[in-house]
């Protein structure tokens, strides 16, 4: 968001609605640490500037880089889209039209502007195109897919294991890594089925979204949708145990004869069940460990019969659960690869590329 945009809508509002951090400053020590402007420019698949003012167009046409957005524009190597919005006289002005021509010659694609009644009460060209038109124009430019889409099933988020109608056992998983993987898979042209436990983030536009609560429900949803999946990625933090008894009435507090023990029973291991199927998909698991990450990950790769495992160290200081950043050590039977600390979106793209590479290697032999 530019400073002018922040005067109309607060960054907090966009952050809450999108579920993503909002960047506003060119030189912000906090943001530079997590994702600097060059990194942001590399991260994006395309840059859409909407609404673009006359001033923004002038800056871009001249190559001025004095704020985050103008710097991003110069650093970006991806396709750039511009949806102008301004007063009709400003749009018609020879200076704006000159800048428009320069930007088009520089390869910037223009959406709109629409014509009609303006916020200032005047009539004419300069209205921002409808958001749906902007999205449609950008999506229509995606390369046409020639091969059949790869089918990928991803589990994400925590599970909840109910004790009674109001209480459950769960964990800190936010679902961010699984959802980032689902977004990366969509961007890679895959047909994605997302089986998700309860999370507080918006789901990407997957082909099939199945929302579940418990490990048993997640297991059943995965098995019901396993046919023809090329790849299954178990990113969910599935509870290993559930209460042995579910009380259909709320359990009451008792002062006398208080029994503090809780009987648990094992949940099915979903990813191991997938790996044990006769016609199994390429099966990828995750290992979140607080210590001895490599040893535990390798033993899980073997014991669950996986094709690949992505391990990360979770704890109060490392990335992982509920944080925006993460680092992974990825193991497969013949090798390993480190993916360094970065935001979960970038990490998801890197991990998915590795998974697809190893999937093709396995299927070509
Ligand atoms: O054994 P652990 O829970 O550490 O294994 C983690 C991996 O196994 C993750 O990929 C997780 O999604 C998967 N898992 C599962 N079903 C379980 C437990 C873990 O699919 N019941």
């Amino acid at each position: 968001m530019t400073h002018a945009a922040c005067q109309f809508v607060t960054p907090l509002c966009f952050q809450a609605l999108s579920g993503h951090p909002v960047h506003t400053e060119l030189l912000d020590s906090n943001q530079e640490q997590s994702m600097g402007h060059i990194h942001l420019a590399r991260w994006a698949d395309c840059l859409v500037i909407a609404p673009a003012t006359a001033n923004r167009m002038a800056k871009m046409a001249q190559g001025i880089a004095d704020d985050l957005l103008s710097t991003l524009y110069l650093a970006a190597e991806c396709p750039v889209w511009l949806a102008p919005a301004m007063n009709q006289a400003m749009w018609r002005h020879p200076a704006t039209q000159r800048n428009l021509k320069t930007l088009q010659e520089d390869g910037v694609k223009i959406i709109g502007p629409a014509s009609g009644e303006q916020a200032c009460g005047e009539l004419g060209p300069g209205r921002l195109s409808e958001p749906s038109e902007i999205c449609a124009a950008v999506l229509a430019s995606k390369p046409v897919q020639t091969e059949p889409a790869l089918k990928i099933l991803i589990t994400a988020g925590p599970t909840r294991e109910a004790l009674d109608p109001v209480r459950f056992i769960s964990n800190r998983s936010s679902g961010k890594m699984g959802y980032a993987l689902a977004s990366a898979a969509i961007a890679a042209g895959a047909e994605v089925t997302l089986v998700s436990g309860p999370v507080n983030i918006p789901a990407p536009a997957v082909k099939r979204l199945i929302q579940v609560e418990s490990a048993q429900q997640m297991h059943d949803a995965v098995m019901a949708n396993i046919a023809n999946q090329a790849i299954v990625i178990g990113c969910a933090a599935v509870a290993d145990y559930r209460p042995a008894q579910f009380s259909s009435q709320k359990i009451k507090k008792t002062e006398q004869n208080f029994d503090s023990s809780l009987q648990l029973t094992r949940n099915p291991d979903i990813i191991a069940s997938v790996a044990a199927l006769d016609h199994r998909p390429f099966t990828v698991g995750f290992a979140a460990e607080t210590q001895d990450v490599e040893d535990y990950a390798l033993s899980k790769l073997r014991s669950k019969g996986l094709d690949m495992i992505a391990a990360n160290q979770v704890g109060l200081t490392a990335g992982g659960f509920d944080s925006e950043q993460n680092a992974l050590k990825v193991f497969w039977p013949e090798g390993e690869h480190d993916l360094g600390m970065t935001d979960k979106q970038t990490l998801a793209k890197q991990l998915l590329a590795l998974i697809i590479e190893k999937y093709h290697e396995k299927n070509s032999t």
Side-chain angles (χ1 to χ4, degrees):
M1 291 179 77
T2 58
H3 289 172
C6 295
Q7 305 213 308
F8 283 92
V9 191
T10 66
L12 193 61
C13 180
F14 271 132
Q15 185 176 315
L17 291 176
S18 69
H20 293 288
V22 174
H23 297 261
T24 55
E25 301 304 324
L26 176 57
L27 298 171
D28 176 321
S29 54
N30 291 330
Q31 290 190 352
E32 284 291 314
Q33 216 178 29
S34 60
M35 208 192 236
H37 58 280
I38 301 294
H39 190 178
L40 261 180
R42 296 289 163 271
W43 166 82
D45 294 317
C46 67
L47 181 60
V48 183
I49 302 173
T53 60
N55 182 53
R56 180 60 47 191
M57 290 175 64
K59 269 190 189 185
M60 288 169 66
Q62 294 304 314
I64 294 172
D66 64 350
D67 65 3
L68 178 62
L69 182 53
S70 50
T71 313
L72 259 180
Y73 166 64
L74 282 191
E77 290 172 324
C78 55
V80 179
W81 297 83
L82 203 100
M86 65 196 73
N87 168 271
Q88 52 85 22
M90 293 172 80
W91 173 252
R92 287 198 180 105
H93 197 283
T96 305
Q97 291 302 310
R98 241 184 350 258
N99 292 333
L100 175 68
K101 195 161 167 278
T102 306
L103 289 170
Q104 283 173 317
E105 282 166 6
D106 289 347
V108 175
K109 298 182 196 92
I110 311 292
I111 307 166
S115 206
E117 194 175 343
Q118 305 203 299
C120 52
E122 295 182 10
L123 271 179
R127 280 169 60 101
L128 179 68
S129 295
E130 290 300 321
S132 56
E133 287 168 31
I134 299 174
C135 288
V138 174
L139 292 176
S141 76
K142 273 183 78 174
V144 181
Q145 193 149 357
T146 46
E147 289 180 17
L150 208 56
K151 291 190 175 204
I152 304 184
L153 185 149
I154 299 169
T155 68
T159 63
R160 285 180 182 172
E161 309 302 321
L163 282 150
D164 68 14
V166 294
R167 302 184 182 96
F168 54 80
I169 302 172
S170 192
N171 59 62
R172 291 181 187 278
S173 170
S174 63
K176 283 177 193 158
M177 191 65 208
Y179 277 44
L181 272 169
S183 297
I186 295 169
E191 182 186 314
V192 183
T193 301
L194 179 61
V195 183
S196 176
V199 295
N200 290 317
I201 52 175
V206 292
K207 176 93 176 174
R208 222 167 287 110
L209 171 67
I210 305 166
Q211 287 164 315
V212 297
E213 289 242 333
S214 67
Q216 188 63 53
Q217 288 170 353
M218 186 174 276
H219 172 273
D220 296 348
V222 169
M223 290 307 166
N225 288 278
I226 199 76
N228 301 322
Q229 296 293 343
I231 298 172
V232 171
I233 309 174
C235 201
V238 187
D240 294 315
Y241 298 92
R242 65 176 178 273
Q245 247 115 45
F246 170 73
S247 164
S248 55
Q249 305 292 330
K250 185 180 170 195
I251 302 166
K252 303 304 286 179
K253 180 163 49 186
T254 47
E255 302 294 333
Q256 289 141 13
N257 304 327
F258 173 58
D259 177 7
S260 64
S261 63
L262 181 62
Q263 293 293 318
L264 298 173
T265 184
R266 277 305 283 259
N267 272 326
D269 191 311
I270 303 167
I271 207 77
S273 315
V274 170
L277 292 171
D278 279 346
H279 299 287
R280 53 179 264 169
F282 189 84
T283 315
V284 184
F286 269 75
E289 307 293 348
T290 53
Q291 58 193 0
D292 301 330
V293 177
E294 187 160 339
D295 287 351
Y296 282 127
L298 284 171
S299 71
K300 260 173 218 175
L301 181 74
R302 285 186 215 106
S303 65
K304 296 189 190 230
L306 305 175
D307 293 298
M308 190 182 257
I309 193 155
N312 64 320
Q313 181 149 0
V314 291
L316 291 178
T317 50
F321 279 11
D322 212 14
S323 78
E324 296 301 331
Q325 296 221 322
N326 206 359
L328 293 170
K329 260 179 174 297
V330 189
F331 302 92
W332 57 98
E334 305 80 26
E336 61 178 82
H337 186 71
D338 272 8
L339 299 174
M341 183 67 78
T342 184
D343 62 285
K344 287 184 176 175
Q345 278 74 22
T346 307
L347 198 63
K349 278 189 196 170
Q350 295 169 344
L351 176 61
L352 191 79
L354 191 59
I355 293 172
I356 292 177
E357 180 192 321
K358 295 296 160 197
Y359 160 78
H360 284 305
E361 267 177 29
K362 187 175 177 193
N363 283 278
S364 65
T365 52

